[in-house]
Amino acid sequence: MDSFMSRAVELAIENVRNGGQPFGAVLVKDGDIVSEGVNELHKKHDVSGHAEMLAIRRAQEKFQTNDLSGYTMYASGEPCPMCFAAMYFAGIKEVYYCAAVEEAAAAGLTTSGMIYGDLKKPKAERTLSMIHMPLDEGQENPMKLWKERP
């Protein structure tokens, strides 16, 4: 196994032994680990405290950038849709993972698979109700403001 993936799995094992979930992540640039993370939901009561999210946050803070293009993520488990989206927004183009969503589901961790399935459905059929509320007439439009900025 690749040394970066071995480290991600080692972090996941350590996290389980410390009362957390079996997820660890390592963010790499130019052959060096720049940040790591483990799921910290059990410590911080923050549903966004996933291993990949924390590795991304730490790297962005460390380097004062939102652009992580050229970085590679190694994750002990297949990233959930939230982590996938964060990596996408950060410009990460390559992710290696060990345990697939199906393996996580078999271990009793079913949320990712359910969300991936829900995203395939038309908006009206999704579990999370999404209701469009247009701006009131004459109300300032933040999207228009953004588009017109200097």
Side-chain angles (χ1 to χ4, degrees), residues 15-27:
N15 202 41
V16 170
R17 290 188 174 137
N18 290 323
Q21 294 177 328
F23 299 106
V26 173
L27 191 59

Side-chain angles (χ1 to χ4, degrees), residues 6-141:
S6 290
R7 177 63 182 152
V9 171
E10 178 183 307
L11 289 167
I13 290 167
E14 190 177 306
N15 202 41
V16 170
R17 290 188 174 137
N18 290 323
Q21 294 177 328
F23 299 106
V26 173
L27 191 59
V28 174
K29 170 98 184 227
D30 298 326
D32 292 316
I33 295 174
V34 297
S35 62
E36 300 178 335
V38 296
N39 276 34
E40 294 184 359
L41 286 74
H42 65 295
K43 290 181 181 178
K44 309 242 176 169
H45 307 288
D46 174 5
V47 296
S48 71
H50 288 199
E52 300 92 334
M53 297 289 287
L54 295 173
I56 289 168
R57 285 181 191 147
R58 290 171 181 149
Q60 288 180 327
E61 186 174 339
K62 180 178 182 180
F63 300 114
Q64 292 295 291
T65 184
N66 292 327
D67 182 9
L68 298 179
S69 52
Y71 291 69
T72 302
M73 182 70 74
Y74 291 82
S76 65
E78 185 173 354
C80 74
M82 175 181 64
C83 294
F84 174 88
M87 289 184 278
Y88 193 93
F89 287 135
I92 297 169
K93 301 264 190 262
E94 197 167 46
V95 180
Y96 294 92
Y97 65 90
C98 199
V101 168
E102 295 79 12
E103 290 176 79
L109 301 158
T110 59
T111 309
S112 286
M114 185 271 299
I115 295 170
Y116 273 122
D118 219 33
L119 286 171
K120 293 177 185 177
K121 298 175 184 175
K123 287 180 189 174
E125 296 176 22
R126 293 182 185 162
T127 304
L128 180 61
S129 180
M130 303 275 290
I131 302 153
H132 179 232
M133 292 181 70
L135 294 172
D136 291 336
E137 179 133 353
Q139 189 174 4
E140 189 171 20
N141 185 327

